[in-house]
Amino acid sequence: MDRWATFDCYGTLVDWNGGILRELVRLFGSSRAPCVLERYHELERVVEEETYRSYRDVLTLTLERIAAAEGVALPPAERDALHRSLPFWQPFPEVPAALEEARRRGWRLAILSNTDRDFIEASMQLLGVRIDLAIVAQDVQSYKPAHGHWQRFFEESGAERERHAHVGASLFHDIAPAGELGLRSVWVNRLGERPGSEPTRELRDLESLPDVLDGLVPA
């Protein structure tokens, strides 16, 4: 049977913080942008929990609310600044080679992402690695940490849980729900955080991921 690795995309494979921060610097200035980014993390989660909206709308509404809270008059032409820039957010440097090596060793790859279909298609083009399956919030009408992405993945892939591992950078969105579902997880701790939900394995980046995956699910 196939071995499957599922991945969060933004923050895990693609530099989510870097992509958003560049826009926040442009809109709020370099001195304010890091604090605004912290607030963005908090507020985006609230917007996603309110009701299902497209990720395009989540980006727009979150940015509008932050601008209002910061007392910044957001020009109408900048309301869509984040979703305009998202298709150009870059993968982390080690990611394409790590994914290619995992594929070479026989792993099938899937992405489970809190985004829209057009966004993930653009990001997969930048990854430059064949992805076997992508499940997005638009497909399941919910955002992680809800379990809809994983449920759809197992339905569509036919993957066996004992031959699967989930890889993510967010304890809240990925590692905690993987634990609730009894799944193996690899936490990509790029920010040097302290774990709340315990992953099966922890990495600083994805350079050694193929070896870690093989250790979790031998060929």
Side-chain angles (χ1 to χ4, degrees):
M1 289 293 292
D2 290 326
R3 297 184 296 169
W4 280 89
T6 53
F7 295 84
D8 171 57
C9 185
Y10 302 106
T12 303
L13 304 178
V14 169
D15 188 358
W16 187 94
N17 273 339
I20 289 185
L21 186 60
R22 280 189 292 275
E23 294 303 305
L24 297 183
V25 166
R26 191 172 61 80
L27 295 171
F28 296 92
S30 57
S31 62
R32 295 172 70 179
C35 291
V36 176
L37 179 62
E38 290 184 15
R39 297 189 68 179
Y40 185 93
H41 278 282
E42 299 167 359
L43 187 54
E44 185 186 83
R45 183 186 302 185
V46 172
V47 172
E48 288 177 346
E49 290 174 345
E50 288 174 348
T51 185
Y52 175 75
R53 302 176 171 91
S54 71
Y55 193 58
R56 185 179 305 271
D57 288 345
V58 168
L59 291 168
T60 298
L61 183 56
T62 306
L63 183 60
E64 289 177 339
R65 290 186 183 178
I66 284 181
E70 291 289 318
V72 172
L74 192 66
E78 297 289 7
R79 292 176 63 251
D80 64 349
L82 294 180
H83 74 246
R84 280 202 320 267
S85 69
L86 189 153
F88 306 101
W89 297 352
Q90 295 297 306
F92 291 103
E94 83 286 357
V95 164
L99 295 182
E100 283 286 11
E101 177 61 15
R103 286 202 66 87
R104 190 190 68 78
R105 298 185 189 192
W107 283 88
R108 299 191 70 184
L109 311 179
I111 290 177
L112 312 183
S113 180
N114 278 352
T115 188
D116 301 336
R117 178 61 55 181
D118 58 336
F119 290 149
I120 206 66
E121 293 290 343
S123 294
M124 288 192 297
Q125 288 291 320
L126 292 178
L127 289 172
V129 179
R130 183 163 68 86
I131 303 297
D132 297 290
L133 179 63
I135 307 295
V136 296
Q138 188 176 33
D139 298 329
V140 297
Q141 299 288 290
S142 65
Y143 287 96
K144 298 179 294 180
H147 296 172
H149 288 73
W150 287 276
Q151 292 165 350
R152 180 69 64 88
F153 162 73
F154 284 112
E155 289 170 4
E156 293 197 12
S157 68
E160 294 184 352
R161 292 182 178 226
E162 62 271 21
R163 295 184 64 77
H164 162 268
H166 183 67
V167 183
S170 172
L171 293 167
F172 176 78
H173 292 99
D174 289 276
I175 302 307
E180 292 164 4
L181 291 164
L183 303 174
R184 296 176 182 86
S185 64
V186 178
W187 180 33
V188 188
N189 184 10
R190 294 187 182 276
L191 303 178
E193 299 173 280
R194 297 182 63 182
S197 305
E198 290 292 336
T200 313
R201 297 287 186 273
E202 179 180 340
L203 297 175
R204 186 56 188 242
D205 58 37
L206 291 187
E207 186 173 358
S208 63
L209 179 71
D211 290 337
V212 169
L213 289 175
D214 283 349
L216 290 174
V217 185

